[in-house]
Amino acid sequence: MNPRTQPAPRDRGRSVEVEWTTISYGTIAVYLVITFVVLLGILYLISPNFVIKTAHRALETIAANPSSPQTNVSRREAHFVNLDGTVRYKKAASSQWMRADFNTNLEKGDFVQTGSDGVARIIFADGTNYTLKPDALIVVEESREDPVTRATKVSVQVTSGAVDLATGHFEAPGSTSQVSFADAVATLNEESRAAVRNDPDKNVHEFTVDSGQAEVTRGTQSVQLGQYEQVSFTKEEPGLVRAKIIAPPALLTPENMELKQTPNPKATTLDFSWTEVPEARAYHLQISPSVMLSNFVVDKRISGRTSIPISGLDEGTYYWMVSAIDAKGVESQPSQANRLNLVQEVAGNQAYLEITSYTSHGNVIEVQGKTEPGSTVIINNEQVFSISPDGTFRGFTPPFAHTGSNQITITAQDRKGDTNTIRKTVVIE
């Protein structure tokens, strides 16, 4: 504050002095901040949880859209998590097709197309995964999250081709995940898996639920679908045709994430087996070196058996699945794929693996450590994808089902095929 005194004009022989004070805008701002802090402190003493939650929500809103802090809707762009072969995209405001990469963000109105050798997996705002098979074309219709209610809305149009999708857990009420094909719309429940096939040239339009539930609407008709149920239609006929489809078998051996060490992988015979499906007359076995389940090295139809010996596989990682075929030749959806690690056994060597910390997050344990660069790390049958170039990694166990003592198993496999396993017993309270 700057007190100033100036003499006023003389009047009737008297000397009158007028005094005033000038306060700067900076001072006013300081006073307002102090007042706000005091009020916030009082509010925190009264209801600390309310203050903390409000502050977190405000920070998340700003982080979600820093350039427009007053907007009512924040967006979390969809992005690619797996790419194999020819995959390209076109932005809504562009006429140019670009090759897709892991830095590509997908927004409303964007197109994604796979070539005859292409497969792509995309993750959306609500955790929904879309896997595009070869020769597929989709359009992103919506992918957003409301910053206040946290409700997510994802909508995709399958213009042509085959697409698999799986929804995650919806964190907020009012969240929706939809897929449209031809003139039908399917709305999926959380934690559901489905497959879409849309072939305008052959007039084939199908939607199949593998697990969970979904509702399909076409015109004025809506149909509720459960596990292994399907709706189909043709352009000329109104309505939807609902049918029960054959279920896939459950895979038995090799077990998921099994590590098979052998002196000569190519000469080793492996027994692939699965459960019997009563309606099945044959089975379809597929083995791929790609997590995207493409470029199959084994693609066999097996009649009357639920197992088959396979040899001639090179050293490496494989993913395998089986579908069932009924008496009419109708094939089920493929089973969930199992992963097999086939490595050459080298006596006396052990992969480098060091665990630096275990951190509890409720019934999930975070594991941090270090291994040789280029190695694969598996924690309780879940692969760790967050491995730095220097070999440091951070991974999480799947949620433990019960409290008390539980075991964590961490396995590292280096590029030579050497392995190392560390086991740790933790107590979940």
Side-chain angles (χ1 to χ4, degrees):
M1 290 182 289
N2 303 314
R4 301 178 182 178
T5 304
Q6 288 190 3
R10 294 183 181 275
D11 186 24
R12 296 181 181 178
R14 291 186 303 165
S15 176
V16 179
E17 292 187 348
V18 179
E19 188 174 279
W20 74 88
T21 300
T22 301
I23 302 177
S24 67
Y25 286 114
T27 303
I28 295 173
V30 171
Y31 284 167
L32 290 175
V33 170
I34 293 173
T35 303
F36 176 76
V37 171
V38 171
L39 292 175
L40 190 62
I42 295 173
L43 186 60
Y44 179 81
L45 293 174
I46 297 173
S47 180
N49 289 335
F50 172 78
V51 174
I52 292 172
K53 289 180 179 179
T54 302
H56 283 177
R57 182 169 294 178
L59 290 173
E60 289 173 355
T61 301
I62 294 172
N65 198 349
S67 62
S68 304
Q70 295 179 344
T71 186
N72 291 327
V73 176
S74 70
R75 298 181 183 272
R76 294 196 325 216
E77 294 88 351
H79 59 276
F80 294 98
V81 291
N82 292 103
L83 291 166
D84 191 5
T86 303
V87 182
R88 59 180 191 161
Y89 72 97
K90 184 172 74 70
K91 304 299 289 184
S94 173
S95 60
Q96 185 177 5
W97 287 92
M98 304 288 290
R99 187 175 182 84
D101 59 42
F102 295 110
N103 295 319
T104 303
N105 288 328
L106 300 173
E107 303 170 303
K108 183 176 181 179
D110 292 352
F111 290 77
V112 179
Q113 185 179 53
T114 54
S116 57
D117 64 337
V119 183
R121 182 174 293 146
I122 304 169
I123 188 167
F124 286 81
D126 63 349
T128 295
N129 283 272
Y130 275 73
T131 301
L132 281 66
K133 304 296 182 64
D135 295 318
L137 175 65
I138 70 167
V139 184
V140 178
E141 294 185 325
E142 202 71 75
S143 178
R144 61 185 174 88
E145 177 187 78
D146 190 290
V148 178
T149 65
R150 307 304 297 271
T152 55
K153 183 175 182 180
V154 170
S155 180
V156 171
Q157 179 189 93
V158 177
T159 303
S160 62
V163 176
D164 295 341
L165 62 148
T167 59
H169 172 67
F170 295 160
E171 297 182 358
S175 297
T176 59
S177 184
Q178 293 184 326
V179 56
S180 59
F181 56 108
D183 56 351
V185 178
T187 302
L188 288 89
N189 288 13
E190 62 179 350
E191 299 178 344
S192 297
R193 294 174 56 238
V196 182
R197 185 184 175 199
N198 189 33
D199 190 335
D201 294 334
K202 295 181 179 179
N203 199 14
V204 174
H205 314 285
E206 298 174 346
F207 183 87
T208 307
V209 174
D210 294 336
S211 64
Q213 292 182 321
E215 181 182 40
V216 181
T217 301
R218 184 183 184 222
T220 58
Q221 183 181 2
S222 292
V223 176
Q224 290 282 346
L225 298 178
Q227 188 175 33
Y228 306 134
E229 290 186 323
Q230 180 186 85
V231 292
S232 60
F233 61 89
T234 59
K235 269 291 190 180
E236 296 76 15
E237 298 294 329
L240 298 163
V241 178
R242 178 180 176 179
K244 189 76 174 177
I245 63 170
I246 187 171
L251 305 184
L252 298 177
T253 61
E255 294 183 358
N256 191 29
M257 307 302 291
E258 182 171 330
L259 176 63
K260 180 66 176 179
Q261 293 180 286
T262 174
N264 189 348
K266 201 172 184 68
T268 300
T269 299
L270 300 172
D271 185 46
F272 288 80
S273 65
W274 51 90
T275 60
E276 182 180 4
V277 177
E279 304 93 339
R281 296 296 178 267
Y283 300 93
H284 186 191
L285 168 67
Q286 294 175 299
I287 304 176
S288 169
S290 170
V291 69
M292 298 302 295
L293 299 170
S294 58
N295 304 318
F296 296 107
V297 295
V298 174
D299 194 340
K300 290 181 177 290
R301 177 177 172 135
I302 301 103
S303 298
R305 290 182 294 162
T306 57
S307 67
I308 184 173
I310 298 292
S311 60
L313 296 177
D314 292 319
E315 181 181 23
T317 299
Y318 295 94
Y319 302 85
W320 68 284
M321 59 186 182
V322 179
S323 54
I325 304 171
D326 66 15
K328 297 180 180 179
V330 177
E331 187 168 337
S332 74
Q333 293 296 312
S335 64
Q336 290 267 26
N338 272 9
R339 171 176 165 158
L340 165 67
N341 297 304
L342 181 61
V343 300
Q344 184 174 4
E345 186 177 22
V346 181
N349 292 329
Q350 195 174 50
Y352 169 60
L353 176 62
E354 177 187 0
I355 305 302
T356 56
S357 69
Y358 299 89
T359 305
S360 175
H361 302 279
N363 63 340
V364 173
I365 304 297
E366 177 185 345
V367 180
Q368 295 190 37
K370 189 171 184 178
T371 186
E372 182 181 331
S375 297
T376 298
V377 178
I378 298 170
I379 300 176
N380 282 23
N381 291 335
E382 293 285 345
Q383 183 176 354
V384 176
F385 292 100
S386 180
I387 302 179
S388 301
D390 65 353
T392 56
F393 65 86
R394 176 188 182 200
F396 298 84
T397 65
F400 288 107
H402 60 84
T403 58
S405 295
N406 291 273
Q407 187 175 76
I408 304 175
T409 302
I410 308 104
T411 300
Q413 178 185 321
D414 62 24
R415 289 173 290 189
K416 297 178 295 183
D418 299 331
T419 63
N420 193 358
T421 298
I422 294 177
R423 293 178 174 84
K424 171 76 172 179
T425 300
V426 296
V427 177
I428 305 297
E429 298 180 351

